[in-house]
Amino acid sequence: MDKSLRTPVIAGNWKMNLTPAAAKALIEEVKPLVADAGCGVVFCVPYVDIAAAAEAAAGSNIKIGAQNVHWESKGAYTGEISAEMLQAVGAEYAVIGHSERRQFFGETDVTVNLRVKAALAAGLKVILCNGELLEQRQQGITMEVVRYQTKINLAGVSASALANVIIAYEPVWAIGTGLTATPEQANEVCKGIRQLLAELYDADTAAKAVIQYGGSMNAANAADLLAQYDIDGGLIGGASLKAKDFAAIVAAASA
Ligand code: PEP
């Protein structure tokens, strides 16, 4: 397998931060810093920021995404947003299955799968998150957990549709905690996910799949993580809110 088959993607997850005006200001600050990026650059922003962020990013290499998407296109689903609505205001990506959705909002592997299929059918690109809890790592079942999640989350997704899916391996214990998986730990799981994709699809599809690491990636540790063979970029929370830190991670992915 050849790492050069894959273009890394650095995606910021702003979580529940920034108003539309602050979103615009941050994108304007980041734009010149990442203009020569040799990787994909995405910001997944709060719903209300999408239009402002897309307007600020227009004409640049920065793409805008949402942090979730519902599986129905419309209807009586108070508080939810459809893929069509996201696209109408400029979103091209959606994060699905983030551990904070699973942990705090009852998201299950089955609803993650429904969201993934609906987003892909509508033409959104998906950043699909999975990862083990600390106790699962301590019990030595990390790969079983991640394989189980990935299999259910991708059920019914074809090999051609998988080209529009980025898988983000995010150990839950590393998200927002300042604890980072070592490059070797992160690569081992990303490699295991690629192996699973070869089993579920085929070797070529697996070799081309973009698999990110996420979990306290920052300007200081990004280069070592991104140098790993099976890590094709990162999903970045905290550090994506700081223009210079985010740009340094993009530079590390472009090297
Ligand atoms: C995330 O929100 O997906 C994430 C990885 O957050 P942080 O970088 O802050 O750990």
Side-chain angles (χ1 to χ4, degrees):
M1 284 199 267
D2 182 357
K3 190 168 166 111
S4 71
L5 288 172
R6 312 183 291 266
T7 303
V9 175
I10 299 297
N13 172 20
W14 285 356
K15 312 193 189 206
M16 195 173 74
N17 290 293
L18 308 184
T19 60
K24 185 174 182 305
L26 181 53
I27 300 235
E28 294 295 356
E29 195 182 347
V30 171
K31 249 194 313 193
L33 304 179
V34 302
D36 298 325
C39 64
V41 182
V42 183
F43 282 117
C44 295
V45 308
Y47 294 133
V48 294
D49 293 347
I50 293 172
E55 197 185 321
S60 78
N61 56 337
I62 299 174
K63 307 290 183 199
I64 302 302
Q67 297 171 13
N68 204 357
V69 56
H70 196 258
W71 55 88
E72 296 291 348
S73 57
K74 62 179 178 173
Y77 301 100
T78 303
E80 293 289 334
I81 300 273
S82 73
E84 288 77 3
M85 291 167 170
L86 296 177
Q87 288 168 312
V89 287
E92 294 179 56
Y93 285 77
V95 170
I96 301 180
H98 192 279
S99 67
E100 287 153 14
R101 300 295 319 168
R102 296 175 187 259
Q103 207 177 338
F104 303 129
F105 302 100
E107 195 79 62
T108 68
D109 286 315
V110 172
T111 55
V112 168
N113 176 245
L114 290 172
R115 293 179 202 273
V116 168
K117 286 188 293 190
L120 292 172
L124 283 172
K125 293 188 172 71
V126 167
I127 300 176
L128 168 62
C129 303
N130 58 32
E132 81 287 3
L133 303 170
L134 181 58
E135 49 270 42
Q136 292 169 329
R137 175 160 284 272
Q138 287 165 342
Q139 288 161 351
I141 57 170
T142 294
M143 212 53 241
E144 282 95 329
V145 169
V146 172
R147 282 177 63 95
Y148 176 91
Q149 291 175 330
T150 308
K151 267 190 180 179
I152 301 175
N153 297 165
L154 289 178
V157 174
S158 68
S160 61
L162 197 75
N164 289 319
V165 177
I166 294 170
I167 297 180
Y169 165 56
E170 299 212 301
V172 179
W173 49 271
I175 297 180
T177 57
L179 295 173
T180 314
T182 65
E184 294 72 24
Q185 283 174 326
N187 192 66
E188 185 186 16
V189 181
C190 292
K191 184 177 175 185
I193 294 170
R194 201 177 300 287
Q195 174 60 40
L196 173 64
L197 297 179
E199 293 166 29
L200 295 176
Y201 298 94
D202 54 76
D204 185 55
T205 301
K208 289 179 179 155
V210 174
I211 304 177
Q212 296 174 323
Y213 166 77
S216 300
M217 193 188 279
N218 57 39
N221 61 26
D224 286 346
L225 287 158
L226 295 168
Q228 295 292 313
Y229 186 79
D230 284 290
I231 300 179
D232 310 311
L235 184 56
I236 322 296
S240 73
L241 293 164
K242 298 175 202 142
K244 288 197 176 67
D245 290 22
F246 185 75
I249 298 170
V250 169
S254 307

